[in-house]
Amino acid sequence: MTLSPDISAAEALAAAVEAGRDEAVALLAELVALQKQGEAAVLDRVADALAALGGLIESISYEPADVPLIDEFATGPAMDAGKRRAVVARFAGDGTGRSLLVFAHPDSERFTDATNWQHDPFAASVAEGRMHGWGIADDLAGVAAVVAALAALRKAGLSLAGALAVAITPSKRHARGIAAVLERGPSAEGALYLHPAESGAGLAEIKAFASGVLEFEIEVAGVPPATQEPSHTAFAHQAVHPLDKAMLLIDALRRLDARRGARIHHPRLEAAVGRSTNILIASISAGDDGMRQRVPAGLRLSGSISFPPTESMKAVQAEVEVALAAAAADDAFLSQHPPTLRWLSGVSGSDVADDHPLYEIAARAIADITGIAARVNPMHTSSDIRNPLVQKGIPAIGLGPLCGNLTHAGGHDEWVDIEDHLRTVTVAATIMTRWCGTASQGEAPENAA
């Protein structure tokens, strides 16, 4: 395929997005407002929009805990209970191009309060080119961009050669929406996750790499002094303080962390932060703040461990378990009162190389439309781009518009840049045409064999 027809298609899409800009912006604002009615209202609106664009709609009801997963798990406290719903829209194409799955999530962080907000979180207020709203960058902009990209294809008179599936699926707190969709189909040769980058890089960044992460907690026993006195302070030397024993375990984890850091290397992570794996102790809790003269009977510490996609989750877990067991065996008390390790959640990572056709198409689309040479930020641990690759072997990348003040990171007045949102719509539609091919012009997909 020569370059000029491809550029012409991109120009046609850019013109179509500009012609439909009012509708695209209005849809984003509508989704922000609909959140006040709940996630179901957002899903219903999007399902109607996708159906109007010719999609064959399927509504999938599922229980997150029942979704079978590869190299991923979460215990009850880490996920919300109850049934969830995902919406899938299928566009058949003519069967001559590659298939693509495009997905985004409609659920945001739970609304608490808007004490620090300068804008009504559900009014989609616009100031200085930014639209503000609760969850607008996480991930209502991605949801709206999918619909607007398909609308632009229609306005430009382009239909896809390859099959396209759009999945609008819950994600927060291990909702497992995209995994539930992948379990039931559709299969695809590539996947595009539309989500603004939390880094604030906008379209200058492509999500193509995600580390795995495990979360854990450890319970450590202690023994208060043998006294009926309400104050333990004078008897403290007779006690076994759980903090003393926890420090032995923390030291063992630190030594393991140092060994892993010296042994495990991934070029993308090394270039970004100089290290490819970390063990973090995030919290230690014991006793009662109101009982300052009592030795606690136990202690709980929690933390996490990051690891590159080249490592097996089970192998990482085994390393931690061996290190803790060895530390306990070396201590007279812990050998008789071993600590309890609980794995709370875990996800594996994913990696799509810079020379993969899907990445190349996305990078070139961004360059053609924005003039930006996009790069990979490898620090998006647990990104949903992992799901298609880990669960079904489907390479997946992600991208999205410039955003900021994300609610899930403790920000307020969360926003998305409107012009960059519209550029994202153009980029997404261009990726669809270049990956799937366009049936109306008889063009083959780029990099096709």
Side-chain angles (χ1 to χ4, degrees), residues 61-68 79-84 175-176 180 184:
S61 178
Y62 69 97
E63 182 74 48
D66 294 340
V67 178
M79 65 167 59
D80 291 333
K83 284 192 174 294
R84 304 298 293 276
R176 298 176 174 173
R184 306 178 191 199

Side-chain angles (χ1 to χ4, degrees), residues 370-389:
T370 69
I372 296 170
R375 64 178 183 84
V376 174
N377 178 351
M379 306 314 300
H380 291 291
T381 302
S382 298
S383 170
D384 276 359
I385 61 166
R386 75 188 188 275
N387 285 291
L389 186 60

Side-chain angles (χ1 to χ4, degrees), residues 44 68 78 125 153 190 205 236 242 251 259 343 349 416:
D44 288 343
S125 302
L153 284 170
E205 179 178 298
D251 186 56
R259 294 195 300 272
W343 294 106
V416 160

Side-chain angles (χ1 to χ4, degrees), residues 134-229:
W134 192 279
I136 191 169
D138 185 31
D139 173 35
L140 296 179
V143 174
V146 178
V147 177
L150 290 168
L153 284 170
R154 173 174 282 194
K155 282 181 181 291
L158 298 170
S159 57
L160 300 177
L164 177 74
V166 174
I168 308 302
T169 65
S171 172
K172 296 291 186 181
R173 287 183 53 78
H174 298 276
R176 298 176 174 173
I178 189 60
V181 168
L182 289 166
E183 179 202 358
R184 306 178 191 199
S187 179
E189 293 162 275
L192 175 63
Y193 179 41
L194 292 180
H195 194 302
E198 294 87 341
S199 63
L203 288 169
E205 179 178 298
I206 297 174
K207 292 182 181 181
F209 180 98
S211 288
V213 66
L214 286 154
E215 294 186 347
F216 61 84
E217 67 179 20
I218 302 170
E219 288 191 358
V220 186
V223 178
T227 178
Q228 297 301 310
E229 292 289 339

